Amino acid sequence: MTIKLKDICNQQDRLAPGHRACTGCSETTIVRQVLQAINGPVVVATPTGCLEIITSPYPFTSWRVPWIHVAFESVASVLAGIETANRSLVKQGKIKDQDIHFVAFAGDGATYDIGLQFISGAIERGHKFLYICLNNEAYMNTGIQRSSATPQGAWTTTSPVGKVLPGKTQPRKDLTAIIAAHNIPYVAQAAPHAWRDLMTKVQKAVAADGPSFINVLSPCPRGWRYEPNETIAISRLAADSCVWPLYEVDHGSCRLNYKPSQRSPLIDWLKSQGRFGHLLRPENKPLVDELENWVANEWARLVKRCQ
Amino acid sequence: MQETQYVKGKFVALEGDRVVAEVMRQINPDVVAAYPITPQTEVVQTFSEFVADGRVDTEFIAVESEHAAMSACIGASAAGARALTATCGAGLALMWEMLWCASGLRCPIAMAVVNRSLSAPLNILTDQTDMMGARDTGWIQIYAENHQEVYDNAIQAVRIAEHPDVVLPVMHGLAGFVLGHTLGRVEMLPDEVVKEFVGSYKPRYSLLDIEHPTTFGAYDHWDYFFEHKRQQWEGMNCALKVIAEVGEEYGKLTGRHYGLVEPYMLEDAEVAIVIIGSAAGAVRVAADQMRAQGVKAGMLKIRCFRPFPPSAVAGALKDKKAIAVMDRSSCFGAEGNPVFIEVCSSLFQRGIRAKVVDYTYGLGGRDTVPGEFCQVYRDLLQVVQTGVAEPVFRYLGLRDF
């Protein structure tokens, strides 16, 4: 299925304009890309987080599709309940089969941390839904606190830069690999600058016969400390520096979707965002070297896996 | 698993947990999401076998926790499905946040709670600490005394929850082990009679109504939240009437009439015990024994704790010379335990200055026998004789050491 820009432009957005996202927020861009990639009806569930509060301040809603928010941690279970209800009601002939796609949009806090049990349980049971992680690498809605998606060395308000600690001291959790280890039909990493890649992945995901998961890097100007007009450039730099590889695990087979001809040095990535500002100090040079090694090793490991 | 067949005019002997599972089979809900926990496990287990044998149309979700069970039920209910579940004790505690979401989103889910104490120390046996801890979550609460009531409540719970004037979730309690794991006599209804009584669920809004996209669970600020909570109050207030109506309709069908409270030998009684749940059976025996000794003893059993029926309670107790309220849970640091507080408030608001004492009993599955309730009646006679209610807070069946 080729994705044509012209077709996209002629579609009505399923997320209405006038929401309350910060200037330069990538989340609403990603949500629109995802929903435009899906043909046919969708039902969306969102846990507590930025996306929920910016799109649903009662009595307003930005959602032109059926949408539910219940709580922070258990969106996977809520969506599993909806998907199961649909299956049951269709099976019993109580409603007609509308070929609905079920989609969750959840932040990294709701996915990597507090919601991990729920998503693991739901995908193990095989509920047919697409789970999109809007990964901005920290708890942005509560004001930039570290999550297990936060990269090593990043400043957040709960991994502050102090006299003895240089920001977050642990590398991030490899959630995409953890989800892939559940052996579900489709798992991928994506980023909003590569919109065609992202939308193609969404189409593969919803076509899969079972659960699918896409971890989408979601640059956040407020939390990452960069100018709002740089969001897409930052997203591209993440892929070029191999900090955020674009790849997929399609029915068990791992494939790199983007291989930079020459990997951008990590220092360019670090320089682009205020959350890494302290790493540019001379005394943190050893840590930068350590991070450079980490990225190189992770990349090499992934390339090998995708051979 | 062989299902229990209805035979006209015949009683069957079933364990309480099995009774719950049989009712779930008869209701044939769209979705059940549940997690096993002692002493509720046999509900999930038995129902799973009905699913495996194709006895129900239900899609069963064997979730990975009770929190997920309630979350999935909320999703299913918002999608227009009739969703049921069951849990107890720690499982109910793990659901706690979701209990508020279910009632706030007006999801008419019905849930059996096989009452169990809460840790620590670890205890898997019965008391009412679990449900009493959830008493302000916006769920309707009814309790069963015996196996027949477990059966009857489980059926009525669905009708109460889905009534258009209510639209609130219902939990119905049964004592773990005491009812859940013992055999009791039950008169069942034919499957088709149960199905007809509960009817089909017609949601006002559904996530699966693609033509009319609806936003559920919007972010609600200071400008509307309060009014939404006020509407929830309204649903709870209506439930008092609906519970009585459904109980009456059920009575016409079965000959077993249900209300908000049930008096026993109470009309001319001078001393009264107020109780909820399975120990009411022992109180009946005690009241009979005291009557045989010439004591005017009676009992008021509260069936419906949420919404609390203050007029029914105060009306039944207004002329009693001394009242003992039995609490099978502990409300640490409060001026009395949950049932006591509600009873006293109901009396006070109606200007009734009765002598009321509060007994904590049966925590962690400790058995309470009729002889102990006879002692409570004798204690009440002492209160009447001396005019002194102190100490107001007492323990029944507690060893002093």
Side-chain angles (χ1 to χ4, degrees):
Chain A
M1 220 176 325
T2 332
I3 294 159
K4 292 184 185 139
L5 207 50
K6 196 174 133 195
D7 295 344
I8 297 170
C9 295
N10 288 329
Q11 280 176 14
Q12 190 198 40
D13 264 323
R14 287 166 157 181
L15 185 74
H19 53 69
R20 299 182 176 187
C22 305
T23 313
C25 175
S26 63
E27 290 197 349
T28 50
T29 307
I30 297 163
V31 169
R32 289 167 59 222
Q33 288 173 356
V34 169
L35 294 180
Q36 280 180 326
I38 302 173
N39 289 317
V42 293
V43 172
V44 174
T46 303
T48 312
C50 290
L51 184 66
E52 172 247 340
I53 62 144
I54 63 172
T55 56
S56 74
Y58 189 90
F60 306 109
T61 182
S62 306
W63 297 95
R64 289 178 175 145
V65 294
W67 177 87
I68 187 168
H69 159 260
V70 178
F72 190 16
E73 59 279 14
S74 58
V75 69
S77 313
V78 172
L79 197 59
I82 299 166
E83 183 267 342
T84 305
N86 183 59
R87 207 153 16 91
S88 177
L89 296 172
V90 168
K91 181 186 74 181
Q92 296 177 75
K94 291 183 178 176
I95 60 169
K96 65 176 196 299
D97 190 356
Q98 304 165 90
D99 201 14
I100 301 172
H101 295 293
F102 300 93
V103 184
F105 290 104
D108 52 287
T111 309
Y112 280 65
D113 287 354
I114 201 168
L116 184 59
Q117 166 205 308
F118 302 92
I119 180 167
S120 176
I123 64 178
E124 181 271 332
R125 291 190 302 271
H127 296 281
K128 188 175 171 351
F129 62 55
L130 167 59
Y131 191 109
I132 301 280
C133 178
L134 298 168
N135 182 2
N136 53 26
E137 301 193 323
Y139 293 88
M140 297 313 184
N141 189 39
T142 44
I144 325 168
Q145 288 80 37
R146 64 89 87 187
S147 75
S148 59
T150 305
Q152 186 174 2
W155 162 90
T156 71
T157 59
T158 51
S159 60
V161 177
K163 284 179 183 151
V164 294
L165 290 177
K168 192 181 176 229
T169 51
Q170 308 86 0
R172 67 176 185 229
K173 183 191 283 181
D174 188 354
L175 184 73
T176 311
I178 292 169
I179 301 294
H182 286 71
N183 295 324
I184 58 173
Y186 190 81
V187 178
Q189 282 196 174
H193 73 279
W195 58 270
R196 197 187 294 274
D197 175 69
L198 170 57
M199 291 175 78
T200 307
K201 283 171 174 167
V202 170
Q203 293 190 339
K204 286 182 187 175
V206 296
D209 187 24
S212 52
F213 175 86
I214 306 178
N215 197 345
V216 187
L217 191 73
S218 311
C220 169
R222 296 297 304 128
W224 293 9
R225 299 306 202 216
Y226 65 81
E227 290 302 315
N229 61 353
E230 291 168 2
T231 292
I232 297 302
I234 295 272
S235 173
R236 182 171 293 113
L237 188 54
D240 283 341
S241 57
C242 299
V243 162
W244 191 254
L246 309 182
Y247 75 101
E248 64 192 348
V249 186
D250 191 349
H251 292 85
S253 95
C254 189
R255 189 161 46 240
L256 266 179
N257 307 109
Y258 175 69
K259 207 169 179 177
S261 49
Q262 197 179 358
R263 186 159 70 84
S264 302
L266 183 71
I267 198 73
D268 292 352
W269 169 252
L270 299 178
K271 277 181 185 164
S272 69
Q273 298 151 60
R275 62 173 171 160
F276 298 122
H278 57 287
L279 297 181
L280 307 178
R281 291 186 216 137
E283 68 269 25
N284 283 327
K285 177 76 173 55
L287 177 55
V288 171
D289 292 343
E290 193 187 318
L291 295 176
E292 179 76 58
N293 277 337
W294 185 84
V295 172
N297 288 339
E298 288 292 299
W299 175 252
R301 201 160 59 97
L302 183 64
V303 169
K304 196 173 163 198
R305 201 175 147 208
C306 291
Q307 270 164 5
Chain B
M1 162 89 51
Q2 197 59 39
E3 68 191 42
T4 307
Q5 295 290 338
Y6 163 78
V7 183
K8 196 172 187 311
K10 287 266 187 197
F11 291 94
V12 288
L14 291 175
E15 291 174 341
D17 280 6
R18 177 69 189 258
V19 171
V20 173
E22 290 285 355
V23 175
M24 287 164 80
R25 177 186 62 74
Q26 293 190 305
I27 290 171
N28 193 24
D30 302 311
V31 174
V32 167
Y35 187 76
I37 173 173
T38 305
Q40 162 269 26
T41 308
E42 283 176 331
V43 176
V44 194
Q45 207 163 280
T46 310
F47 190 73
S48 303
E49 295 193 29
F50 292 144
V51 174
D53 286 341
R55 317 297 291 188
V56 286
D57 300 314
T58 311
E59 286 293 326
F60 172 59
I61 317 178
V63 283
E64 80 291 340
S65 72
E66 289 89 354
H67 190 302
M70 188 45 62
S71 300
C73 283
I74 292 169
S77 181
R82 178 178 277 156
L84 306 183
T85 186
T87 191
C88 70
L92 187 68
L94 187 60
M95 281 181 188
W96 201 78
E97 182 197 7
M98 290 300 119
L99 297 177
W100 290 81
C101 294
S103 60
L105 287 169
R106 309 301 289 267
C107 296
I109 299 159
M111 169 164 68
V113 180
V114 190
N115 297 125
R116 166 182 157 169
S117 65
L118 289 179
S119 293
L122 175 66
N123 179 288
I124 57 166
L125 305 175
T126 200
D127 63 34
Q128 292 160 0
T129 309
D130 52 3
M131 264 173 70
M132 286 298 163
R135 67 190 184 274
D136 297 333
T137 57
W139 282 62
I140 290 162
Q141 291 197 348
I142 52 177
Y143 291 81
E145 177 186 338
N146 53 44
H147 295 71
Q148 186 66 60
E149 290 190 6
V150 173
Y151 182 82
D152 298 338
N153 282 350
I155 295 169
Q156 291 172 66
V158 173
R159 276 286 301 278
I160 296 164
E162 293 172 6
H163 192 285
D165 294 341
V166 178
V167 198
L168 284 171
V170 176
M171 56 178 85
H172 54 99
L174 61 145
F177 295 103
V178 173
L179 296 181
H181 280 57
T182 59
L183 284 173
R185 197 178 79 144
V186 179
E187 186 182 30
M188 289 177 68
L189 293 168
D191 292 359
E192 60 277 11
V193 173
V194 174
K195 282 187 179 61
E196 200 188 320
F197 184 82
V198 297
S200 58
Y201 174 48
K202 294 176 193 71
R204 244 179 273 185
Y205 304 99
S206 163
L207 282 167
L208 303 179
D209 185 357
I210 299 296
E211 304 303 320
H212 305 95
T214 306
T215 286
F216 286 71
Y219 174 51
D220 213 5
H221 228 307
W222 54 266
D223 46 0
Y224 286 99
F225 181 85
F226 206 169
E227 283 71 26
H228 288 141
K229 288 294 140 184
R230 173 68 181 79
Q231 290 179 336
Q232 222 176 305
W233 253 111
E234 215 39 55
M236 235 348 155
N237 287 341
C238 288
L240 275 180
K241 191 167 143 269
V242 169
I243 293 165
E245 281 171 7
V246 170
E248 199 48 45
E249 191 187 327
Y250 191 80
K252 280 182 192 146
L253 184 73
T254 61
R256 296 185 295 276
H257 295 264
Y258 285 85
L260 302 164
V261 298
E262 185 198 333
Y264 180 71
M265 314 281 277
L266 194 62
E267 202 166 280
D268 67 334
E270 291 175 351
V271 287
I273 287 178
V274 180
I275 197 156
I276 293 180
S278 64
V283 178
R284 287 175 200 272
V285 175
D288 289 348
Q289 288 175 2
M290 296 308 285
R291 287 268 172 178
Q293 294 167 28
V295 177
K296 287 187 170 172
M299 174 187 80
L300 181 67
K301 183 179 78 176
I302 296 175
R303 174 187 179 227
C304 171
F305 188 72
R306 279 290 181 271
F308 194 80
S311 300
V313 169
L317 296 174
K318 62 180 186 296
D319 54 355
K320 305 308 159 203
K321 290 182 176 167
I323 301 159
V325 178
M326 308 305 301
D327 268 289
R328 204 165 190 175
S329 68
S330 210
C331 208
F332 301 108
E335 180 70 3
N337 293 308
V339 190
F340 176 82
I341 293 171
E342 301 282 346
V343 170
C344 288
S345 178
S346 305
L347 296 172
F348 179 83
Q349 290 298 335
R350 283 152 190 80
I352 301 160
R353 296 286 304 275
K355 299 274 182 208
V356 192
V357 293
D358 186 10
Y359 284 86
T360 306
Y361 78 103
L363 295 189
R366 175 142 315 165
D367 206 11
T368 310
V369 297
E372 291 173 287
F373 287 115
C374 287
Q375 185 57 48
V376 171
Y377 280 124
R378 284 192 284 272
D379 291 349
L380 290 179
L381 291 175
Q382 184 81 15
V383 170
V384 175
Q385 202 177 20
T386 61
V388 178
E390 281 74 23
V392 173
F393 305 109
R394 308 170 183 206
Y395 298 97
L396 186 64
L398 177 75
R399 287 196 307 279
D400 272 326
F401 59 91

